[in-house]
Amino acid sequence: MTALLQHPGYDEERLKGVAEKLPCREVQAEMLLSLMGQPHQYSYPSILIYGHRASGKSHVMHVLMKELELPHATVSCVECVSIALLFEQVLLSFFGCDAPSLLPRSPSLSDFVRVYRQQCSQSPAKQTRYIVMEKAELLRDTDASLLSALLRLQELVGDNVTVILLSEIAWDKFRPNTGCFEPLLLHFPDYSKSELQQILSQNVHSSYSAGFYSAYINILLGVFYSVCRDLRELRHLAALNFSKFCEPLAEGKVKETDTHKLWKHIEPHLKKAMQTVYLREVSSLQWEQMQQMEEEEAGALRGLSAHTHVELPYYSKFLLIAAYLASYNPARTDKRFFLKHHGKIRKTNFLKKNEKTSNHLLGPKPFPLDRLLAIFYSVVDSRVAPTASIFSQISSLVTLQLLAQVSHDDQLDAPKYKCAVSLDFICAISRTVNFDIVKYLYDFL
Amino acid sequence: KEAYKCKNTLTGKTLPTVVKHSDSIHCVCRHLLELLRRTAIHGESNSVLIVGPRGAGKTMLLQCVLRDLQKEEKVQKNLLQVHLSGLLQTDDRTALKEITRQLHLENVVGDKVFGSFAENLAFLLEALKKGNRSSSCPVLFVLDEFDLFAHHKNQTLLYNLFDVSQSAQAPIAVVGVTCRLDVLELLEKRVKSRFSHRQIHLLSSLNFTQYLERVWTQLSLPDSFPDKKFAQEWNAGTLCEDKSVEEVLQRHFNSSKDFRSLHMLLMLCLSRVSVAKPTIKPADLLEASRMCFADATANMLHGLSILELCLVIAIKHLNDVYEGEPFNLQMVHNEFKKFLHRKSNSMYNFEQPVVMKAFEHLQQLELIRPVDGSSAKVQREYQLMRLTLDHSQIMDALQKYPQCPTDVKQWAMSAFG
């Protein structure tokens, strides 16, 4: 595989080093090398490399630049809140620390090109200079002319410079209205399952055999591959869960080759990881601590969204339940649910509901305060007086973001609210007060 | 090793040599050259616009003309050039500073404060007067991306430049280069009236045979190449008449005739030349063409996880049933759950948060996009979105998806979701 990367412009030894650091990306590295050509030749003015996250775009560029020692400037567009930062970074990387100080305050593109030309006439490029811009899709949000100018930077400054843009988004969504200099498009395809296996197996710990580790990776991919193919996430998960995987081995219960038993042991653990660590509900530190604890103590791992976190006063719970009912039941059905004697309801179109208009699919609807209180009084079993404490509980629910205020702040006499909790949350709350909410919901009739 | 030298020559080939090959451009070249000569030597003011789509060769033409112009000694001594670009000089003050800088008049201007743009420009042109005070040096203004200058406030720069070119103040030539064919509509009435309405349109009128000739001339090594034997072999090899090669070139010709896309295709083709393989084969051109025409969205769809693919299919079904109305995560999840009920396999039975994460990933890839509206007050599960993909793109992607489970494929192709 190392024989693939050959180029007379670059040192053989260095190319071998490059090939070792880029598993499964030889074809792309080869393509890039041939586009870059010999160091003193001009390359294509701009190249756009697109591909999924963690498909190796930045990694390949960094390895190529470092190993072959090419003059380059790496800029991440996330850091460049203002374009001055971008210009300073480029000038610093190419011309040393004195160059950025030549830029005026809040420099424009025109200033940047002028200073670049000046510096370039003093120190012309002997090799192609590269500007690598990561997360290039953020360039669309800046000044419209910045992207067009960067794509033809070679022409504007008259120097041997190439701009390489790395992005997750396809070029079609980048193109400015009146067109621009089209960059060369290179696609970095996603890793296949076997390639992922190969790359992840490289992180094997020295005390375990390669076969054992690749069996582990196989099991991990079996659980997570259908959900996520991001190499970074998978690597993180592999590192976190490996100690748990080795537990039965350390305890002496199973041998290294007993893959079935190991699988049975680790699989529920990985499924739990999918609901917690993968979703970042639980931090990695908490996860590791949990793994240390015994089975019984581990029990319920509290995620960030877990409802057990919130402890509400008695009437607040009923207010929240009333708000949920007000949001998800249409107003005309209130009579049926909340009046003691509602009489016969004719079974007309009233009860027929289209699946699309099920309120649980469309989202909560806003309701006025009066309706909330009306439902509240009918839902609460004891007699409650409309005191200020009840009203203040409504405001605190808004602060907790369990209710959202929809009306304008100026409207004091008829505020409107919307309920912002999920069905699971409200079911759990109503269970704590012994209230059967499902009976009162229109969608579950 | 010769292969690389050859590649070097071909990619670094000066483009203006190609201009001479085509007759129609040749006479346009002469026309422009004559116009600029009149300004430089006889002191006549002129203005002209070069209009043509992207990659048509406008800048190339201009550089060719300027190079020929500089060959005359009188021009070389007299003519001053100012090059402005709409991308860099985004407002008139910056443009004026740039003009001052390029005319090397910073010291003359010093700290003077001018009342208006016109005064400043007049001062600059006055300062260029020769020793005998008879007339000022002729100045050539080249305005790249001319249409962007028309978006400046009041179009002061354009107005003043054209004004000077109409009055007898100083001999200037204003050459605008733009890709917009409707550029005259952008100009204000007073600016348009001062413009000479001279336009040079570079609309390529090549036919396919001329296009093919151009390809061969670009790919063949010139006589000046050091290794004669290699050059001969190379030229003999590339000029082979292969049916598939012609078909590929026909396809490119049908989609765009301009030179720049041809250049990109040939670059990609040449990049496959290596020490191990020092010739161009038809397969190289085919591969390069495939890369040029690759659908970026299809490539991205190839890399989605199965859960995300199922979500895309669920969205497709929703779009089919409800005719393109916006959807939210709850609706998509509901649709997906219906599929799972039917298939009764619990393999893809994921929790709502996991589905939400997959949905957000689709949003980050911009395959789905939120409908414009107040997104602040709406919970994330209920935010309405639209799909930016086409029906056919999804079906194509499914065909190419690696190891796609058959029940997922069948679900996608069924009419009723």
Side-chain angles (χ1 to χ4, degrees), chain A residues 34 41 50 52-53 114 140 168 178 226-227 229 233 278 361, chain B residues 8 54 101 271 299-300 305 307 328 357 361 364 366 401:
Chain A
S34 63
Q41 288 172 359
Y50 67 99
H52 278 276
R53 248 184 291 172
R114 179 175 48 91
R140 293 177 298 175
E168 213 182 9
T178 48
S226 49
V227 170
R229 294 194 181 176
E233 295 251 18
Y278 173 64
L361 290 183
Chain B
N8 191 359
R54 296 262 175 207
R101 209 170 280 128
S271 66
N299 283 338
M300 297 305 281
S305 68
L307 175 60
N328 60 30
K357 186 159 175 168
H361 187 220
Q364 275 160 358
E366 293 198 4
Y401 194 78

PDB file of all heavy atoms in Angstrom, chain A residues 34 41 50 52-53 114 140 168 178 226-227 229 233 278 361, chain B residues 8 54 101 271 299-300 305 307 328 357 361 364 366 401:
ATOM      1  N   SER A  34      -1.384  14.343  -6.664  1.00  0.00           N
ATOM      2  CA  SER A  34      -1.202  14.610  -8.092  1.00  0.00           C
ATOM      3  C   SER A  34      -1.789  15.964  -8.471  1.00  0.00           C
ATOM      4  O   SER A  34      -1.297  16.622  -9.377  1.00  0.00           O
ATOM      5  CB  SER A  34      -1.816  13.499  -8.925  1.00  0.00           C
ATOM      6  OG  SER A  34      -3.180  13.439  -8.715  1.00  0.00           O
ATOM      7  N   GLN A  41       5.297  24.175  -8.961  1.00  0.00           N
ATOM      8  CA  GLN A  41       4.286  24.431  -9.987  1.00  0.00           C
ATOM      9  C   GLN A  41       3.057  25.086  -9.371  1.00  0.00           C
ATOM     10  O   GLN A  41       2.776  24.895  -8.203  1.00  0.00           O
ATOM     11  CB  GLN A  41       3.815  23.115 -10.588  1.00  0.00           C
ATOM     12  CG  GLN A  41       4.811  22.445 -11.463  1.00  0.00           C
ATOM     13  CD  GLN A  41       4.335  21.064 -11.840  1.00  0.00           C
ATOM     14  OE1 GLN A  41       3.284  20.633 -11.415  1.00  0.00           O
ATOM     15  NE2 GLN A  41       5.119  20.379 -12.630  1.00  0.00           N
ATOM     16  N   TYR A  50     -15.355  17.725   0.085  1.00  0.00           N
ATOM     17  CA  TYR A  50     -16.561  17.555   0.892  1.00  0.00           C
ATOM     18  C   TYR A  50     -16.726  16.096   1.268  1.00  0.00           C
ATOM     19  O   TYR A  50     -16.296  15.198   0.565  1.00  0.00           O
ATOM     20  CB  TYR A  50     -17.794  18.092   0.155  1.00  0.00           C
ATOM     21  CG  TYR A  50     -18.188  17.324  -1.074  1.00  0.00           C
ATOM     22  CD1 TYR A  50     -19.214  16.384  -1.030  1.00  0.00           C
ATOM     23  CD2 TYR A  50     -17.562  17.538  -2.285  1.00  0.00           C
ATOM     24  CE1 TYR A  50     -19.593  15.678  -2.153  1.00  0.00           C
ATOM     25  CE2 TYR A  50     -17.931  16.837  -3.411  1.00  0.00           C
ATOM     26  CZ  TYR A  50     -18.945  15.908  -3.348  1.00  0.00           C
ATOM     27  OH  TYR A  50     -19.299  15.226  -4.466  1.00  0.00           O
ATOM     28  N   HIS A  52     -18.634  13.450   4.740  1.00  0.00           N
ATOM     29  CA  HIS A  52     -19.264  13.415   6.056  1.00  0.00           C
ATOM     30  C   HIS A  52     -18.280  13.799   7.146  1.00  0.00           C
ATOM     31  O   HIS A  52     -17.071  13.843   6.948  1.00  0.00           O
ATOM     32  CB  HIS A  52     -19.791  12.003   6.317  1.00  0.00           C
ATOM     33  CG  HIS A  52     -21.113  11.765   5.693  1.00  0.00           C
ATOM     34  ND1 HIS A  52     -22.278  12.133   6.294  1.00  0.00           N
ATOM     35  CD2 HIS A  52     -21.447  11.224   4.510  1.00  0.00           C
ATOM     36  CE1 HIS A  52     -23.283  11.808   5.513  1.00  0.00           C
ATOM     37  NE2 HIS A  52     -22.811  11.255   4.423  1.00  0.00           N
ATOM     38  N   ARG A  53     -18.838  14.044   8.309  1.00  0.00           N
ATOM     39  CA  ARG A  53     -18.011  14.344   9.471  1.00  0.00           C
ATOM     40  C   ARG A  53     -17.112  13.174   9.766  1.00  0.00           C
ATOM     41  O   ARG A  53     -17.495  12.039   9.605  1.00  0.00           O
ATOM     42  CB  ARG A  53     -18.941  14.520  10.668  1.00  0.00           C
ATOM     43  CG  ARG A  53     -18.982  15.911  11.178  1.00  0.00           C
ATOM     44  CD  ARG A  53     -19.814  15.983  12.396  1.00  0.00           C
ATOM     45  NE  ARG A  53     -21.200  15.775  12.105  1.00  0.00           N
ATOM     46  CZ  ARG A  53     -22.126  15.640  13.026  1.00  0.00           C
ATOM     47  NH1 ARG A  53     -21.790  15.670  14.279  1.00  0.00           N
ATOM     48  NH2 ARG A  53     -23.366  15.460  12.694  1.00  0.00           N
ATOM     49  N   ARG A 114      -3.807  43.872  -0.553  1.00  0.00           N
ATOM     50  CA  ARG A 114      -2.706  44.834  -0.712  1.00  0.00           C
ATOM     51  C   ARG A 114      -1.501  44.414   0.116  1.00  0.00           C
ATOM     52  O   ARG A 114      -0.371  44.371  -0.360  1.00  0.00           O
ATOM     53  CB  ARG A 114      -3.203  46.209  -0.295  1.00  0.00           C
ATOM     54  CG  ARG A 114      -2.173  47.291  -0.388  1.00  0.00           C
ATOM     55  CD  ARG A 114      -2.802  48.627  -0.070  1.00  0.00           C
ATOM     56  NE  ARG A 114      -3.614  48.611   1.129  1.00  0.00           N
ATOM     57  CZ  ARG A 114      -3.171  48.881   2.351  1.00  0.00           C
ATOM     58  NH1 ARG A 114      -1.906  49.173   2.530  1.00  0.00           N
ATOM     59  NH2 ARG A 114      -3.995  48.839   3.372  1.00  0.00           N
ATOM     60  N   ARG A 140     -20.409  31.150   3.951  1.00  0.00           N
ATOM     61  CA  ARG A 140     -21.583  31.652   3.260  1.00  0.00           C
ATOM     62  C   ARG A 140     -22.287  32.728   4.059  1.00  0.00           C
ATOM     63  O   ARG A 140     -22.985  33.565   3.505  1.00  0.00           O
ATOM     64  CB  ARG A 140     -22.577  30.518   3.029  1.00  0.00           C
ATOM     65  CG  ARG A 140     -22.117  29.469   2.077  1.00  0.00           C
ATOM     66  CD  ARG A 140     -23.142  28.389   1.997  1.00  0.00           C
ATOM     67  NE  ARG A 140     -23.334  27.749   3.273  1.00  0.00           N
ATOM     68  CZ  ARG A 140     -24.250  26.835   3.498  1.00  0.00           C
ATOM     69  NH1 ARG A 140     -25.050  26.457   2.519  1.00  0.00           N
ATOM     70  NH2 ARG A 140     -24.377  26.281   4.676  1.00  0.00           N
ATOM     71  N   GLU A 168     -18.786  19.962   5.009  1.00  0.00           N
ATOM     72  CA  GLU A 168     -19.678  18.823   5.109  1.00  0.00           C
ATOM     73  C   GLU A 168     -20.791  18.931   4.090  1.00  0.00           C
ATOM     74  O   GLU A 168     -21.522  17.991   3.854  1.00  0.00           O
ATOM     75  CB  GLU A 168     -20.312  18.884   6.510  1.00  0.00           C
ATOM     76  CG  GLU A 168     -20.605  17.584   7.116  1.00  0.00           C
ATOM     77  CD  GLU A 168     -21.267  17.738   8.473  1.00  0.00           C
ATOM     78  OE1 GLU A 168     -21.638  18.855   8.858  1.00  0.00           O
ATOM     79  OE2 GLU A 168     -21.401  16.722   9.109  1.00  0.00           O
ATOM     80  N   THR A 178     -24.485  35.033  -8.749  1.00  0.00           N
ATOM     81  CA  THR A 178     -24.038  35.336 -10.102  1.00  0.00           C
ATOM     82  C   THR A 178     -22.883  34.439 -10.503  1.00  0.00           C
ATOM     83  O   THR A 178     -22.172  34.722 -11.441  1.00  0.00           O
ATOM     84  CB  THR A 178     -23.577  36.790 -10.210  1.00  0.00           C
ATOM     85  OG1 THR A 178     -22.706  37.050  -9.109  1.00  0.00           O
ATOM     86  CG2 THR A 178     -24.739  37.729 -10.151  1.00  0.00           C
ATOM     87  N   SER A 226     -25.893   0.774  12.824  1.00  0.00           N
ATOM     88  CA  SER A 226     -27.108   1.195  12.126  1.00  0.00           C
ATOM     89  C   SER A 226     -27.564   2.578  12.559  1.00  0.00           C
ATOM     90  O   SER A 226     -28.415   3.179  11.931  1.00  0.00           O
ATOM     91  CB  SER A 226     -28.234   0.198  12.356  1.00  0.00           C
ATOM     92  OG  SER A 226     -28.331  -0.074  13.726  1.00  0.00           O
ATOM     93  N   VAL A 227     -26.980   3.083  13.634  1.00  0.00           N
ATOM     94  CA  VAL A 227     -27.409   4.394  14.114  1.00  0.00           C
ATOM     95  C   VAL A 227     -26.416   5.467  13.731  1.00  0.00           C
ATOM     96  O   VAL A 227     -26.781   6.573  13.360  1.00  0.00           O
ATOM     97  CB  VAL A 227     -27.564   4.351  15.644  1.00  0.00           C
ATOM     98  CG1 VAL A 227     -27.757   5.732  16.200  1.00  0.00           C
ATOM     99  CG2 VAL A 227     -28.724   3.485  16.020  1.00  0.00           C
ATOM    100  N   ARG A 229     -22.393   6.386  12.033  1.00  0.00           N
ATOM    101  CA  ARG A 229     -21.191   5.917  11.354  1.00  0.00           C
ATOM    102  C   ARG A 229     -20.037   6.868  11.549  1.00  0.00           C
ATOM    103  O   ARG A 229     -19.022   6.769  10.872  1.00  0.00           O
ATOM    104  CB  ARG A 229     -21.466   5.827   9.863  1.00  0.00           C
ATOM    105  CG  ARG A 229     -22.470   4.797   9.572  1.00  0.00           C
ATOM    106  CD  ARG A 229     -22.485   4.485   8.133  1.00  0.00           C
ATOM    107  NE  ARG A 229     -23.496   3.502   7.884  1.00  0.00           N
ATOM    108  CZ  ARG A 229     -23.817   3.058   6.694  1.00  0.00           C
ATOM    109  NH1 ARG A 229     -23.196   3.524   5.655  1.00  0.00           N
ATOM    110  NH2 ARG A 229     -24.747   2.163   6.552  1.00  0.00           N
ATOM    111  N   GLU A 233     -17.303   9.417  17.145  1.00  0.00           N
ATOM    112  CA  GLU A 233     -18.236   8.921  18.170  1.00  0.00           C
ATOM    113  C   GLU A 233     -17.927   7.477  18.497  1.00  0.00           C
ATOM    114  O   GLU A 233     -17.891   7.078  19.662  1.00  0.00           O
ATOM    115  CB  GLU A 233     -19.668   9.007  17.635  1.00  0.00           C
ATOM    116  CG  GLU A 233     -20.160  10.383  17.368  1.00  0.00           C
ATOM    117  CD  GLU A 233     -21.215  10.799  18.386  1.00  0.00           C
ATOM    118  OE1 GLU A 233     -21.297  10.180  19.447  1.00  0.00           O
ATOM    119  OE2 GLU A 233     -21.932  11.749  18.083  1.00  0.00           O
ATOM    120  N   TYR A 278     -24.195   8.209  24.374  1.00  0.00           N
ATOM    121  CA  TYR A 278     -24.271   8.569  22.964  1.00  0.00           C
ATOM    122  C   TYR A 278     -25.059   9.862  22.783  1.00  0.00           C
ATOM    123  O   TYR A 278     -24.757  10.688  21.936  1.00  0.00           O
ATOM    124  CB  TYR A 278     -24.910   7.413  22.194  1.00  0.00           C
ATOM    125  CG  TYR A 278     -25.191   7.714  20.761  1.00  0.00           C
ATOM    126  CD1 TYR A 278     -24.163   7.985  19.869  1.00  0.00           C
ATOM    127  CD2 TYR A 278     -26.488   7.741  20.285  1.00  0.00           C
ATOM    128  CE1 TYR A 278     -24.422   8.267  18.549  1.00  0.00           C
ATOM    129  CE2 TYR A 278     -26.755   8.009  18.961  1.00  0.00           C
ATOM    130  CZ  TYR A 278     -25.716   8.276  18.096  1.00  0.00           C
ATOM    131  OH  TYR A 278     -25.978   8.552  16.793  1.00  0.00           O
ATOM    132  N   LEU A 361     -49.043  15.236  17.037  1.00  0.00           N
ATOM    133  CA  LEU A 361     -48.081  15.340  15.947  1.00  0.00           C
ATOM    134  C   LEU A 361     -47.802  16.783  15.580  1.00  0.00           C
ATOM    135  O   LEU A 361     -46.730  17.107  15.105  1.00  0.00           O
ATOM    136  CB  LEU A 361     -48.616  14.604  14.709  1.00  0.00           C
ATOM    137  CG  LEU A 361     -48.651  13.090  14.820  1.00  0.00           C
ATOM    138  CD1 LEU A 361     -49.138  12.508  13.514  1.00  0.00           C
ATOM    139  CD2 LEU A 361     -47.288  12.538  15.134  1.00  0.00           C
TER     140      LEU A 361
ATOM    141  N   ASN B   8       3.588  19.295 -16.298  1.00  0.00           N
ATOM    142  CA  ASN B   8       3.982  20.644 -15.944  1.00  0.00           C
ATOM    143  C   ASN B   8       3.724  21.587 -17.107  1.00  0.00           C
ATOM    144  O   ASN B   8       3.094  22.630 -16.971  1.00  0.00           O
ATOM    145  CB  ASN B   8       5.483  20.613 -15.610  1.00  0.00           C
ATOM    146  CG  ASN B   8       5.941  21.884 -14.973  1.00  0.00           C
ATOM    147  OD1 ASN B   8       5.158  22.812 -14.791  1.00  0.00           O
ATOM    148  ND2 ASN B   8       7.199  21.935 -14.649  1.00  0.00           N
ATOM    149  N   ARG B  54     -19.534  33.187 -17.230  1.00  0.00           N
ATOM    150  CA  ARG B  54     -18.328  32.810 -16.488  1.00  0.00           C
ATOM    151  C   ARG B  54     -17.502  31.810 -17.287  1.00  0.00           C
ATOM    152  O   ARG B  54     -18.032  30.869 -17.832  1.00  0.00           O
ATOM    153  CB  ARG B  54     -18.717  32.150 -15.169  1.00  0.00           C
ATOM    154  CG  ARG B  54     -19.438  33.047 -14.220  1.00  0.00           C
ATOM    155  CD  ARG B  54     -18.504  33.608 -13.212  1.00  0.00           C
ATOM    156  NE  ARG B  54     -19.194  34.582 -12.366  1.00  0.00           N
ATOM    157  CZ  ARG B  54     -18.590  35.579 -11.773  1.00  0.00           C
ATOM    158  NH1 ARG B  54     -17.318  35.752 -11.933  1.00  0.00           N
ATOM    159  NH2 ARG B  54     -19.279  36.400 -11.009  1.00  0.00           N
ATOM    160  N   ARG B 101      -3.586  54.930  -4.803  1.00  0.00           N
ATOM    161  CA  ARG B 101      -2.405  54.098  -4.563  1.00  0.00           C
ATOM    162  C   ARG B 101      -1.795  53.605  -5.865  1.00  0.00           C
ATOM    163  O   ARG B 101      -0.579  53.626  -6.041  1.00  0.00           O
ATOM    164  CB  ARG B 101      -2.823  52.901  -3.716  1.00  0.00           C
ATOM    165  CG  ARG B 101      -1.729  52.382  -2.849  1.00  0.00           C
ATOM    166  CD  ARG B 101      -2.256  51.375  -1.880  1.00  0.00           C
ATOM    167  NE  ARG B 101      -2.899  51.979  -0.740  1.00  0.00           N
ATOM    168  CZ  ARG B 101      -4.109  51.685  -0.310  1.00  0.00           C
ATOM    169  NH1 ARG B 101      -4.823  50.774  -0.917  1.00  0.00           N
ATOM    170  NH2 ARG B 101      -4.605  52.272   0.738  1.00  0.00           N
ATOM    171  N   SER B 271      -4.349  14.408 -13.993  1.00  0.00           N
ATOM    172  CA  SER B 271      -3.849  14.076 -12.658  1.00  0.00           C
ATOM    173  C   SER B 271      -3.703  12.574 -12.491  1.00  0.00           C
ATOM    174  O   SER B 271      -3.114  12.113 -11.529  1.00  0.00           O
ATOM    175  CB  SER B 271      -4.790  14.628 -11.596  1.00  0.00           C
ATOM    176  OG  SER B 271      -6.021  13.967 -11.683  1.00  0.00           O
ATOM    177  N   ASN B 299     -23.662  11.418  -3.240  1.00  0.00           N
ATOM    178  CA  ASN B 299     -22.485  10.968  -2.496  1.00  0.00           C
ATOM    179  C   ASN B 299     -22.704  11.076  -0.995  1.00  0.00           C
ATOM    180  O   ASN B 299     -22.299  10.210  -0.226  1.00  0.00           O
ATOM    181  CB  ASN B 299     -21.268  11.804  -2.886  1.00  0.00           C
ATOM    182  CG  ASN B 299     -20.708  11.387  -4.225  1.00  0.00           C
ATOM    183  OD1 ASN B 299     -20.932  10.273  -4.669  1.00  0.00           O
ATOM    184  ND2 ASN B 299     -20.011  12.289  -4.875  1.00  0.00           N
ATOM    185  N   MET B 300     -23.338  12.171  -0.585  1.00  0.00           N
ATOM    186  CA  MET B 300     -23.576  12.347   0.845  1.00  0.00           C
ATOM    187  C   MET B 300     -24.621  11.353   1.344  1.00  0.00           C
ATOM    188  O   MET B 300     -24.520  10.838   2.441  1.00  0.00           O
ATOM    189  CB  MET B 300     -24.057  13.766   1.151  1.00  0.00           C
ATOM    190  CG  MET B 300     -23.057  14.836   0.826  1.00  0.00           C
ATOM    191  SD  MET B 300     -21.473  14.602   1.610  1.00  0.00           S
ATOM    192  CE  MET B 300     -21.818  15.183   3.235  1.00  0.00           C
ATOM    193  N   SER B 305     -26.382   6.728   7.972  1.00  0.00           N
ATOM    194  CA  SER B 305     -26.607   5.467   8.674  1.00  0.00           C
ATOM    195  C   SER B 305     -28.014   4.974   8.322  1.00  0.00           C
ATOM    196  O   SER B 305     -28.823   5.723   7.778  1.00  0.00           O
ATOM    197  CB  SER B 305     -26.478   5.677  10.164  1.00  0.00           C
ATOM    198  OG  SER B 305     -27.529   6.478  10.621  1.00  0.00           O
ATOM    199  N   LEU B 307     -30.576   4.242  10.123  1.00  0.00           N
ATOM    200  CA  LEU B 307     -31.666   4.962  10.798  1.00  0.00           C
ATOM    201  C   LEU B 307     -31.976   6.259  10.065  1.00  0.00           C
ATOM    202  O   LEU B 307     -33.128   6.604   9.807  1.00  0.00           O
ATOM    203  CB  LEU B 307     -31.266   5.254  12.240  1.00  0.00           C
ATOM    204  CG  LEU B 307     -32.241   6.095  13.059  1.00  0.00           C
ATOM    205  CD1 LEU B 307     -33.583   5.410  13.143  1.00  0.00           C
ATOM    206  CD2 LEU B 307     -31.696   6.343  14.443  1.00  0.00           C
ATOM    207  N   ASN B 328     -42.722  17.686  10.827  1.00  0.00           N
ATOM    208  CA  ASN B 328     -41.827  17.836  11.973  1.00  0.00           C
ATOM    209  C   ASN B 328     -41.395  16.454  12.440  1.00  0.00           C
ATOM    210  O   ASN B 328     -41.827  15.440  11.897  1.00  0.00           O
ATOM    211  CB  ASN B 328     -42.491  18.642  13.095  1.00  0.00           C
ATOM    212  CG  ASN B 328     -43.756  18.003  13.600  1.00  0.00           C
ATOM    213  OD1 ASN B 328     -43.896  16.784  13.580  1.00  0.00           O
ATOM    214  ND2 ASN B 328     -44.699  18.822  14.050  1.00  0.00           N
ATOM    215  N   LYS B 357     -31.576  12.584  17.461  1.00  0.00           N
ATOM    216  CA  LYS B 357     -30.181  12.876  17.111  1.00  0.00           C
ATOM    217  C   LYS B 357     -29.936  12.627  15.625  1.00  0.00           C
ATOM    218  O   LYS B 357     -29.257  13.403  14.953  1.00  0.00           O
ATOM    219  CB  LYS B 357     -29.244  12.007  17.963  1.00  0.00           C
ATOM    220  CG  LYS B 357     -27.782  12.356  17.759  1.00  0.00           C
ATOM    221  CD  LYS B 357     -26.906  11.916  18.900  1.00  0.00           C
ATOM    222  CE  LYS B 357     -25.449  12.195  18.568  1.00  0.00           C
ATOM    223  NZ  LYS B 357     -24.546  12.077  19.675  1.00  0.00           N
ATOM    224  N   HIS B 361     -28.863  15.349  12.723  1.00  0.00           N
ATOM    225  CA  HIS B 361     -27.738  15.150  11.817  1.00  0.00           C
ATOM    226  C   HIS B 361     -28.159  15.460  10.390  1.00  0.00           C
ATOM    227  O   HIS B 361     -27.420  16.092   9.631  1.00  0.00           O
ATOM    228  CB  HIS B 361     -27.228  13.712  11.931  1.00  0.00           C
ATOM    229  CG  HIS B 361     -25.974  13.462  11.164  1.00  0.00           C
ATOM    230  ND1 HIS B 361     -25.742  12.314  10.451  1.00  0.00           N
ATOM    231  CD2 HIS B 361     -24.884  14.225  10.960  1.00  0.00           C
ATOM    232  CE1 HIS B 361     -24.566  12.378   9.870  1.00  0.00           C
ATOM    233  NE2 HIS B 361     -24.020  13.519  10.161  1.00  0.00           N
ATOM    234  N   GLN B 364     -28.109  19.082   9.981  1.00  0.00           N
ATOM    235  CA  GLN B 364     -26.773  19.664   9.843  1.00  0.00           C
ATOM    236  C   GLN B 364     -26.215  19.471   8.454  1.00  0.00           C
ATOM    237  O   GLN B 364     -25.450  20.290   7.968  1.00  0.00           O
ATOM    238  CB  GLN B 364     -25.813  19.029  10.840  1.00  0.00           C
ATOM    239  CG  GLN B 364     -25.880  19.689  12.163  1.00  0.00           C
ATOM    240  CD  GLN B 364     -25.334  18.796  13.241  1.00  0.00           C
ATOM    241  OE1 GLN B 364     -24.940  17.657  13.003  1.00  0.00           O
ATOM    242  NE2 GLN B 364     -25.333  19.304  14.439  1.00  0.00           N
ATOM    243  N   GLU B 366     -27.935  19.698   5.944  1.00  0.00           N
ATOM    244  CA  GLU B 366     -28.821  20.511   5.116  1.00  0.00           C
ATOM    245  C   GLU B 366     -29.607  19.680   4.121  1.00  0.00           C
ATOM    246  O   GLU B 366     -29.902  20.129   3.025  1.00  0.00           O
ATOM    247  CB  GLU B 366     -28.030  21.625   4.411  1.00  0.00           C
ATOM    248  CG  GLU B 366     -27.505  22.612   5.421  1.00  0.00           C
ATOM    249  CD  GLU B 366     -27.098  23.935   4.821  1.00  0.00           C
ATOM    250  OE1 GLU B 366     -27.298  24.120   3.611  1.00  0.00           O
ATOM    251  OE2 GLU B 366     -26.588  24.769   5.574  1.00  0.00           O
ATOM    252  N   TYR B 401     -26.961   2.299  -2.183  1.00  0.00           N
ATOM    253  CA  TYR B 401     -26.628   2.215  -0.767  1.00  0.00           C
ATOM    254  C   TYR B 401     -26.032   0.847  -0.467  1.00  0.00           C
ATOM    255  O   TYR B 401     -26.598  -0.163  -0.864  1.00  0.00           O
ATOM    256  CB  TYR B 401     -27.892   2.449   0.046  1.00  0.00           C
ATOM    257  CG  TYR B 401     -27.655   2.712   1.487  1.00  0.00           C
ATOM    258  CD1 TYR B 401     -27.218   3.957   1.913  1.00  0.00           C
ATOM    259  CD2 TYR B 401     -27.861   1.733   2.429  1.00  0.00           C
ATOM    260  CE1 TYR B 401     -27.010   4.211   3.235  1.00  0.00           C
ATOM    261  CE2 TYR B 401     -27.641   1.990   3.761  1.00  0.00           C
ATOM    262  CZ  TYR B 401     -27.220   3.222   4.164  1.00  0.00           C
ATOM    263  OH  TYR B 401     -27.005   3.470   5.488  1.00  0.00           O
TER     264      TYR B 401
END
